Amino acid sequence: MTASIAYVGGHLQYEMNFCKGQSYKRAAWVRGVTFNGCLQRELSWSCGVSKFLQIHRCNLFRSPANENSKSFRTFTTLAYLIDGSTKYFDFAVIGSGVAGLRYALEVAKYGSVAVITKAEPHESNTNYAQGGVSAVLCPSDSVESHMRDTIVAGAYLCDEETVKIVCTEGPDRIRELIAMGASFDHGEDGNLHLAREGAHSHHRIVHAADMTGREIERALLEAVIDDPNISVFKHHFAIDLLTSQDGLGTVCHGVDALNTETQEVIRFISKVTLLASGGAGHIYPSTTNPLVATGDGTAMAHRAQAVISNMEFVQFHPTALADEGLPIKLKKTRENAFLITEAVRGDGGILYNLSMERFMPLYDERAELAPRDVVARSIDDQLKKRNEKYVLLDISHKPREKILSHFPNIANECLQHGLDITRQPIPVIPAAHYMCGGVRAGLQGETNVHGLYVAGEVACTGLHGANRLASNSLLEALVFARRAVQPSIDHMKSSSLDLSASNLWTRPVVPKSLGSDVMHKILSTTKEVRKEVQSVMWKYVGIVRSTTRLQEAEQTIGELEAKWETYLFEHGWQQTMVALEACELRNLFCCAKLVLSSALARHESRGLHYTIDFPYLEESKRLPTVIFPSSHSTSTWSSRQLHQHSTCQSAF
C-alpha cells in the first residue's frame, strides 16, 4: 500500500492506493506539516521543524523526583550496567565519523557514552574525505559570500536560517579541531593554506594535503580513546532503534546491535541517541563511500517513524578514478571508487574528452568550477554522446612540486598503477558520493522521534538543498554535532533509566538454528540480489532520469524485494533473525525505495535531480520533499522494525 500526500486547502490529504507489498508513503512537496493533528506552516525549514518536532516524553524514562546541583560527572548510570547482553548508557552514538566523535567528546563531560560503530572506528565516510572543510577564515571572505555560494549550489532549495548558522559557526568549529590537535596545511606566511573548490567564490577550504578527513578522524579518535567516559564498541552493526509510542508520538530508548565478531546481539538502552551513521552510497555499484555506507541510519530512522526528506538528491561526484583508463590494471575490483578531490579542479585542473577537447565551457560559464551536479551531468553527456567510458582530468600543466605537495595521496595511488599525474591526465568518471537527503532535523539536530538526534550525512538539515557545495559536509557535521549537545544534555538530565526496560522489545536472534548449508544459500542469494539492486539504481536512478524509467525501477525493486524475502522465509528465516549481509540488504532496499519515491514526486529538474520529462526549474516546486511515518501493518521486512512496538504502560 502506498499513500500519496497532497496539500489541499491547508490540510494533508492521503490518497490510498493498494499495490503489492509496499507500505511507505509516497513523497510530495508540502507547504504544511501535520504532527499530532497540528498543521505547521512550512515556509521556514528550520522554524517549522523546530516547532513540529516537539512531542511528549514517554514515561519509560522517569524524571527524577528532585533535581539537585550535583555534577553530572558523577553518573547515576553505571558506565555500563551489564546483564550479559544489555548495556545501559546516558548517551548512545551510532557512528564513528566526525559527527559522532565530536558529539561524543562533548556529552561525555555529562554522562556515560557508547560509540557504536559498524567496523573499525576509523572506517567512515569522514576518513575518505580528501578535499577539506569550508569556513570563512580569510579577511577578504565573508559569511554572506559563503552563504550565497551554498544557496546557489543548492539550487535555491537550502534553508537560509540553517545556511547562516553553519556558515557563521563554522570557523569556531575549525579552531576547536586545531586546539584538539588536528594539523592542517599552512602557507609560507604561516597562516592556514586555504584552497578553492568548485562553486566557491573564495579560497576557504582548510585541508591537510588531500587527506583531510583522515587527519580530522585521527585527532578525534585519539581524544575519544583517551576519554574514560566513552566506550567504543567496534564491529557492532546497528539493527534497529528501540522505540515506544506515547500517544501520537514516538520515543527512542536506544538501539539493538549485532556484534559481527562474536555474532551476539547487544541491546543498548540509553536516555539519548545520536544517529551519525553516514550515507547510503552502496545503493549504487560505483561509489566513493566505504563498504559500511549502506543507509543503515536512514532506514532505521524510517522504520522508527522518523520524517525523511529530500532523498531524491543523490550527489554523484564528477571525478572518481576510472580504473579502466589506468596503464596498469587492478588485479581485483575496488570495494569503493577512489575519489579525485574537487580541489584538483579548484587548483586549475581541466577536463577533456578522449580527443583532448576541453568541454566544460560548452556547458557552463564557470567551466570546471561549476557545481558538482553541473559537472557530473556534463561528463555524463560527453560519455553518452561519444560512447566513451571515461574523461580526462589534467593538472600536469601546474608545477610538479605543487601537485605533489597538494595531492600526495592521489599522486601515489595513480603512480602505483603506472600513471604520473605530473605528466599525464587522470582518467575519471562520476560515482555516487553523498546523500543530500536523510532524516529531517531541526536547528539542534532534533527529529520528530523524542530522544533521537541526527548529525552528519544521515541528517537532512536543509543546508545542502538540492546539491551540496564542495567541502560543506564536514562543516555541517561539526556544526550540528555541536548544536545537538545542549538539548541532549537537557534531555539526559531530566531522564533516568528504567532497568526493567530491556525486556519490552523482542530480541533479535542470530539464525544459528538454520544450519550452515541453508545460511550459505541465503547469503549467496543475498549477495546476488544486492548486485541486482545496485544495477537497477545505476541504470534507472542515476545522473539523468525519466518518469518511465523511475517507475520501471520502482516496480523492479519491489519485485526483487518480494522475491528475496520470500526466499528467506521459505528457507526458515524468521522476522526477528539478523545477519549482517541480510540486514544491510534490508536497509539498501529501504533507502532505494525512499530515493525512488522522492524522485517520482518531484516534477521539475533541480540540482542533483534531473529528469528529461520535467527539464526546467519550477518556482512553485521550490519546496523540500517529505516522507512521513506510516503504518507498518502490511509492510515488507525492510520497512518494519524487527521487534514489536511497545506502548507506554501504566506500570511506569
Side-chain angles (χ1 to χ4, degrees), residues 544-582:
V544 177
R545 302 164 178 175
S546 74
T547 301
T548 300
R549 292 167 71 78
L550 289 172
Q551 289 171 338
E552 187 172 341
E554 186 177 48
Q555 180 177 342
T556 304
I557 293 292
E559 290 171 352
L560 279 171
E561 182 183 30
K563 183 179 178 181
W564 175 65
E565 290 190 6
T566 298
Y567 183 88
L568 287 183
F569 290 105
E570 283 181 347
H571 283 76
W573 197 266
Q574 296 174 17
Q575 161 74 16
T576 56
M577 285 183 172
V578 291
L580 175 63
E581 297 84 352

Side-chain angles (χ1 to χ4, degrees), residues 96-103 124 126 177 216-217 220 474 477-478 481:
S96 60
V98 60
L101 297 182
R102 189 67 192 88
Y103 172 90
S124 65
T126 297
L177 283 179
I216 293 173
E217 185 80 4
L220 291 174
L474 292 177
L478 287 166

Side-chain angles (χ1 to χ4, degrees), residues 395-413:
I395 191 70
S396 65
H397 52 280
K398 294 292 181 178
R400 174 182 175 84
E401 296 74 20
K402 183 178 179 181
I403 295 171
L404 294 179
S405 65
H406 286 190
F407 310 112
N409 190 39
I410 294 172
N412 181 60
E413 178 66 25

Side-chain angles (χ1 to χ4, degrees), residues 138-201:
C138 175
S140 63
D141 197 2
S142 67
V143 168
E144 291 73 23
S145 178
H146 192 182
M147 287 179 62
R148 183 166 55 251
D149 292 346
T150 298
I151 291 168
V152 170
Y156 299 92
L157 197 65
C158 310
D159 176 68
E160 191 169 336
E161 188 175 3
T162 302
V163 174
K164 183 176 182 179
I165 284 170
V166 172
C167 295
T168 301
E169 296 181 6
D172 284 343
R173 302 292 83 83
I174 299 296
R175 294 183 187 103
E176 288 172 355
L177 283 179
I178 294 171
M180 293 173 63
S183 179
F184 299 113
D185 289 0
H186 287 71
E188 294 179 0
D189 60 1
N191 293 320
L192 285 169
H193 181 270
L194 302 176
R196 185 183 176 191
E197 296 183 350
H200 284 274
S201 58

Side-chain angles (χ1 to χ4, degrees), residues 74-323:
T74 307
F75 311 126
T76 53
T77 307
L78 296 179
Y80 47 90
L81 284 168
I82 308 177
D83 67 6
S85 59
T86 302
K87 304 181 189 298
Y88 298 82
F89 286 86
D90 293 309
F91 304 94
V93 178
I94 302 171
S96 60
V98 60
L101 297 182
R102 189 67 192 88
Y103 172 90
L105 286 167
E106 291 300 319
V107 297
K109 299 170 185 176
Y110 301 89
S112 56
V113 184
V115 174
I116 301 159
T117 188
K118 189 171 175 179
E120 290 295 320
H122 66 267
E123 191 66 5
S124 65
N125 281 359
T126 297
N127 204 49
Y128 289 81
Q130 293 180 356
V133 190
S134 59
V136 177
L137 294 165
C138 175
S140 63
D141 197 2
S142 67
V143 168
E144 291 73 23
S145 178
H146 192 182
M147 287 179 62
R148 183 166 55 251
D149 292 346
T150 298
I151 291 168
V152 170
Y156 299 92
L157 197 65
C158 310
D159 176 68
E160 191 169 336
E161 188 175 3
T162 302
V163 174
K164 183 176 182 179
I165 284 170
V166 172
C167 295
T168 301
E169 296 181 6
D172 284 343
R173 302 292 83 83
I174 299 296
R175 294 183 187 103
E176 288 172 355
L177 283 179
I178 294 171
M180 293 173 63
S183 179
F184 299 113
D185 289 0
H186 287 71
E188 294 179 0
D189 60 1
N191 293 320
L192 285 169
H193 181 270
L194 302 176
R196 185 183 176 191
E197 296 183 350
H200 284 274
S201 58
H202 289 74
H203 288 76
R204 63 166 70 100
I205 314 302
V206 180
H207 63 99
D210 58 350
M211 296 171 281
T212 309
R214 190 180 304 176
E215 172 58 18
I216 293 173
E217 185 80 4
R218 179 202 63 76
L220 291 174
L221 262 179
E222 284 185 5
V224 163
I225 291 168
D226 288 342
D227 195 315
N229 301 331
I230 301 175
S231 301
V232 179
F233 295 87
K234 62 182 182 179
H235 299 287
H236 279 63
F237 171 77
I239 301 165
D240 262 326
L241 297 171
L242 301 171
T243 58
S244 67
Q245 294 301 119
D246 181 23
L248 295 175
T250 304
V251 187
C252 182
H253 309 287
V255 64
D256 278 334
L258 173 66
N259 183 329
T260 54
E261 291 189 320
T262 65
Q263 295 301 303
E264 180 186 10
V265 174
I266 306 298
R267 175 156 288 173
F268 292 87
I269 302 293
S270 60
K271 300 175 185 177
V272 178
T273 302
L274 176 82
L275 259 184
S277 52
H282 281 275
I283 58 174
Y284 294 96
S286 179
T287 176
T288 60
N289 293 182
L291 275 177
V292 294
T294 52
D296 308 323
T298 301
M300 283 192 297
H302 176 61
R303 291 192 290 266
Q305 305 288 288
V307 176
I308 309 295
S309 191
N310 286 356
M311 287 294 286
E312 70 270 39
F313 299 119
V314 181
Q315 187 173 80
F316 291 83
H317 198 289
T319 55
L321 184 61
D323 294 332

Side-chain angles (χ1 to χ4, degrees), residues 3-40:
S4 301
I5 308 173
Y7 180 76
V8 182
H11 299 282
L12 288 175
Q13 188 177 69
Y14 300 108
E15 300 169 3
M16 310 306 289
N17 301 305
F18 291 90
C19 55
K20 290 189 262 182
Q22 301 177 1
S23 96
Y24 55 94
K25 294 182 177 178
R26 175 66 54 86
W29 295 281
V30 289
R31 295 183 185 273
V33 180
T34 297
F35 272 91
N36 297 348
C38 174
L39 182 73
Q40 296 287 346

Side-chain angles (χ1 to χ4, degrees), residues 505-570:
W505 301 272
T506 304
R507 285 185 179 266
V509 294
V510 176
K512 295 177 182 177
S513 60
L514 298 184
S516 58
D517 289 345
V518 171
M519 278 306 299
H520 177 75
K521 291 178 182 178
I522 285 176
L523 296 182
S524 178
T525 298
T526 297
K527 185 177 180 180
E528 292 306 312
V529 173
R530 175 170 169 154
K531 289 179 181 177
E532 290 183 68
V533 171
Q534 292 171 329
S535 177
V536 170
M537 293 297 290
W538 188 259
K539 184 176 180 180
Y540 297 108
V541 200
I543 296 171
V544 177
R545 302 164 178 175
S546 74
T547 301
T548 300
R549 292 167 71 78
L550 289 172
Q551 289 171 338
E552 187 172 341
E554 186 177 48
Q555 180 177 342
T556 304
I557 293 292
E559 290 171 352
L560 279 171
E561 182 183 30
K563 183 179 178 181
W564 175 65
E565 290 190 6
T566 298
Y567 183 88
L568 287 183
F569 290 105
E570 283 181 347

